[in-house]
Short mmCIF file of all heavy atoms in Angstrom, two decimals:
data_model
loop_
_atom_site.label_atom_id
_atom_site.label_comp_id
_atom_site.label_asym_id
_atom_site.label_seq_id
_atom_site.Cartn_x
_atom_site.Cartn_y
_atom_site.Cartn_z
N SER A 219 139.36 126.82 305.99
CA SER A 219 138.70 126.57 304.71
C SER A 219 139.48 127.12 303.52
O SER A 219 138.90 127.43 302.50
CB SER A 219 137.29 127.17 304.73
OG SER A 219 137.36 128.56 304.95
N GLY A 220 140.79 127.24 303.65
CA GLY A 220 141.61 127.65 302.51
C GLY A 220 141.69 129.14 302.36
O GLY A 220 141.32 129.89 303.26
N PRO A 221 142.17 129.58 301.22
CA PRO A 221 142.47 128.82 300.00
C PRO A 221 143.73 127.97 300.15
O PRO A 221 144.58 128.27 300.98
CB PRO A 221 142.68 129.91 298.96
CG PRO A 221 143.18 131.08 299.72
CD PRO A 221 142.53 130.99 301.09
N TYR A 222 143.82 126.94 299.33
CA TYR A 222 144.94 126.02 299.37
C TYR A 222 145.56 125.88 297.99
O TYR A 222 144.89 126.01 296.97
CB TYR A 222 144.48 124.63 299.86
CG TYR A 222 143.94 124.65 301.26
CD1 TYR A 222 142.60 124.40 301.51
CD2 TYR A 222 144.77 124.93 302.33
CE1 TYR A 222 142.10 124.42 302.81
CE2 TYR A 222 144.29 124.95 303.62
CZ TYR A 222 142.95 124.70 303.86
OH TYR A 222 142.47 124.71 305.14
N ILE A 223 146.85 125.56 297.98
CA ILE A 223 147.58 125.34 296.74
C ILE A 223 147.22 123.97 296.15
O ILE A 223 147.08 123.82 294.94
CB ILE A 223 149.10 125.43 296.98
CG1 ILE A 223 149.48 126.83 297.45
CG2 ILE A 223 149.89 125.02 295.75
CD1 ILE A 223 150.89 126.94 297.98
N CYS A 224 147.10 122.96 297.04
CA CYS A 224 146.82 121.59 296.60
C CYS A 224 146.28 120.79 297.78
O CYS A 224 146.15 121.32 298.89
CB CYS A 224 148.10 120.95 296.04
SG CYS A 224 149.40 120.77 297.29
N GLY A 225 146.02 119.53 297.56
CA GLY A 225 145.49 118.66 298.61
C GLY A 225 146.45 118.49 299.78
O GLY A 225 146.02 118.43 300.94
N ILE A 226 147.74 118.42 299.51
CA ILE A 226 148.73 118.30 300.58
C ILE A 226 148.66 119.53 301.48
O ILE A 226 148.71 119.43 302.70
CB ILE A 226 150.16 118.13 300.02
CG1 ILE A 226 150.31 116.78 299.33
CG2 ILE A 226 151.21 118.30 301.11
CD1 ILE A 226 150.32 115.58 300.25
N ASP A 227 148.54 120.70 300.88
CA ASP A 227 148.42 121.95 301.62
C ASP A 227 147.20 121.90 302.54
O ASP A 227 147.27 122.23 303.73
CB ASP A 227 148.32 123.12 300.63
CG ASP A 227 148.37 124.49 301.28
OD1 ASP A 227 148.80 124.60 302.45
OD2 ASP A 227 147.99 125.46 300.60
N ALA A 228 146.06 121.45 302.03
CA ALA A 228 144.83 121.36 302.82
C ALA A 228 144.96 120.35 303.94
O ALA A 228 144.51 120.58 305.07
CB ALA A 228 143.65 121.01 301.91
N ALA A 229 145.59 119.20 303.66
CA ALA A 229 145.76 118.17 304.68
C ALA A 229 146.72 118.63 305.77
O ALA A 229 146.46 118.46 306.97
CB ALA A 229 146.27 116.88 304.04
N MET A 230 147.83 119.24 305.39
CA MET A 230 148.81 119.69 306.36
C MET A 230 148.27 120.81 307.23
O MET A 230 148.66 120.95 308.38
CB MET A 230 150.11 120.12 305.67
CG MET A 230 150.84 118.97 304.98
SD MET A 230 151.11 117.52 306.02
CE MET A 230 152.24 118.19 307.22
N ASP A 231 147.34 121.59 306.71
CA ASP A 231 146.72 122.64 307.50
C ASP A 231 145.99 122.04 308.69
O ASP A 231 145.98 122.60 309.78
CB ASP A 231 145.75 123.45 306.63
CG ASP A 231 145.22 124.68 307.33
OD1 ASP A 231 145.93 125.26 308.18
OD2 ASP A 231 144.08 125.07 307.02
N VAL A 232 145.40 120.87 308.51
CA VAL A 232 144.63 120.22 309.56
C VAL A 232 145.52 119.51 310.56
O VAL A 232 145.21 119.48 311.75
CB VAL A 232 143.61 119.22 308.94
CG1 VAL A 232 142.89 118.43 310.00
CG2 VAL A 232 142.61 119.96 308.07
#
Side-chain angles (χ1 to χ4, degrees):
S219 60
Y222 298 113
I223 297 168
C224 63
I226 292 289
D227 187 18
M230 294 309 293
D231 188 31
V232 174

